[in-house]
Amino acid sequence: DMDRRYLLVESITDLSYSVPLCRFGKDVAVWDLEPGCEGSDPEAAANSAAILTVVSNPVDDEIPLSYDACSRHKRRFQFHPCFPHTLLYAHALDGGDPTNEPLVVVEGDDNEGESFRDAIYTQDIQSSNAGATGSKLSLQDPVQLCRLEWRYDDINFTESGGTMLIDEYRWSDRMERKWKLLSANASKTKKSLVWERSWEDRYSSPGVPLLKRGT
């Protein structure tokens, strides 16, 4: 994370001969690298690190053999680069199966009548003092950052975190979209379309945003 206190660790837990490595069962966990007490040596600090299991996913052997199918479990975990101690991940709203009906927004929502298949969430990590045993980690309730009509592909941030660029795709006809999200905070965002195009049309490709490594 941006404070370099937490480490996001993905561990293989279940093996399978029927799926590739990326679909093996796995645990996603957050390790607190801050020493449990002052004056502890590095080895003692490592042994006292608090570990918080974020999610335990089984072998992903039920993904349909169809275009635009994906895992039904939470996926694509990363730290939010602009908010301290915040996780970011995607989750399918249709169970990962494109033959299922998408989520349709009900009356009263800003996106009333629209349908969505994927959503991106943020989730804060909270640390509390557990006395002699060091810190205790817990997860706050997830907050939906945005919903997508197609499958989530990638996300990039400006330095302040107030503007985000999110990519989604539809494999069945090779279409892609890039969205710009303006966010005053993690719970309220405004989305606008940057482009929608076929990624096979290389002659009209607008390229990619110029990026620089954060501090």
Side-chain angles (χ1 to χ4, degrees), residues 75-100:
R75 67 189 198 278
R76 303 286 298 275
F77 281 89
Q78 67 178 77
F79 281 117
H80 195 302
C82 303
F83 296 152
H85 313 158
T86 301
L87 293 172
L88 186 78
Y89 65 90
H91 198 193
L93 301 175
D94 60 357
D97 189 345
T99 62
N100 292 338

Side-chain angles (χ1 to χ4, degrees), residues 159 211-215:
E159 191 170 3
L211 304 176
K212 71 174 184 177
R213 187 177 296 277
T215 55

Side-chain angles (χ1 to χ4, degrees), residues 187-207:
S187 61
K188 188 173 180 61
T189 58
K190 183 178 181 181
K191 187 171 68 172
S192 59
L193 184 65
V194 178
W195 67 63
E196 177 180 337
R197 57 180 302 277
S198 169
W199 70 68
E200 293 184 327
D201 184 5
R202 298 184 180 182
Y203 287 102
S204 66
S205 173

Side-chain angles (χ1 to χ4, degrees), residues 40-103:
S40 58
D41 58 72
E43 183 177 354
N47 292 335
S48 65
I51 298 178
L52 172 66
T53 300
V54 178
V55 68
S56 295
N57 289 338
V59 173
D60 224 346
D61 56 359
E62 297 182 2
I63 298 179
L65 298 176
S66 58
Y67 290 120
D68 301 309
C70 71
S71 173
R72 67 186 188 278
H73 307 294
K74 297 176 181 179
R75 67 189 198 278
R76 303 286 298 275
F77 281 89
Q78 67 178 77
F79 281 117
H80 195 302
C82 303
F83 296 152
H85 313 158
T86 301
L87 293 172
L88 186 78
Y89 65 90
H91 198 193
L93 301 175
D94 60 357
D97 189 345
T99 62
N100 292 338
E101 291 297 322
L103 174 71

